[in-house]
Amino acid sequence: PLPVWMRRAMLATAVMNLLGALTFTPWGAPIRALARMPEGTHPLYLGVIAIFILSFGGAYLWCGLTGRADPLFVTLAAVGWTGWWFLIAAAKERAIEAWLAARREVGWVAEASVVSVGGFPYRIDTTLTGLELSNPQGGWSWTAPDFRLLTLAYQPNHMIAVWPKEQ
């Protein structure tokens, strides 16, 4: 069993998580503005974060009320993180495919023979193999055997571009 001080800490943390989850709901926009969080974030992203924080709040509440720390935390964290990673990885792959398609619609040559995503659990590494970009109106073209975009799973808007040695 958990000591009394730990149970109280768990209950207090459950309340903080409830308020934290509220921050990422549509009604939490004033709180996000006060905290100077970026504006214009996709609602799905906010919803996933709210559910993740609320889930942990429920686990803290459960542990605080029952007085035991179950494997619930490990399971919840593993399932939540795995879901988050696959959600972000799929969104990144779709965004790249959409960007290539949008370039083709305006007359570019924009092809990648393979778009692959990996890096689980901490990174989302996207590799575009056989990349060919050409803007006939601008008079330029670029090809690369591979081009990589590296992202940390917990910071999906910060990307590192890895350019190939030969282009």
Side-chain angles (χ1 to χ4, degrees):
L2 294 173
V4 173
W5 69 267
M6 178 67 87
R7 290 179 74 173
R8 289 181 181 151
M10 293 280 192
L11 293 171
T13 305
V15 172
M16 290 187 328
N17 275 42
L18 176 62
L19 296 173
L22 180 64
T23 301
F24 293 96
T25 65
W27 308 283
I31 301 169
R32 289 192 306 275
L34 182 65
R36 295 185 179 179
M37 293 177 155
E39 294 181 26
T41 306
H42 194 282
L44 179 61
Y45 174 80
L46 293 174
V48 169
I49 291 174
I51 290 169
F52 191 68
I53 293 171
L54 188 61
S55 298
F56 269 98
Y60 288 129
L61 181 64
W62 171 262
C63 291
L65 292 175
T66 63
R68 16 178 261 260
D70 293 328
L72 175 64
F73 281 118
V74 175
T75 303
L76 184 61
V79 169
W81 187 260
T82 301
W84 169 252
W85 189 91
F86 279 102
L87 179 75
I88 295 300
K92 189 172 179 186
E93 188 173 358
R94 281 192 311 269
I96 289 170
E97 295 286 357
W99 185 85
L100 291 170
R103 299 292 67 78
R104 288 191 295 269
E105 287 179 13
V106 295
W108 286 36
V109 173
E111 300 295 334
S113 57
V114 177
V115 176
S116 62
V117 179
F120 182 81
Y122 300 113
R123 296 186 348 196
I124 300 169
D125 299 343
T126 306
T127 303
L128 289 86
T129 306
L131 181 60
E132 182 180 352
L133 297 174
S134 176
N135 180 353
Q137 297 165 344
W140 62 268
S141 66
W142 179 66
T143 59
D146 59 15
F147 178 71
R148 296 175 61 201
L149 293 169
L150 310 178
T151 309
L152 295 172
Y154 53 85
Q155 200 173 14
N157 293 327
H158 178 82
M159 289 188 216
I160 299 168
V162 180
W163 302 85
K165 292 180 182 179
E166 296 179 17
Q167 302 177 44

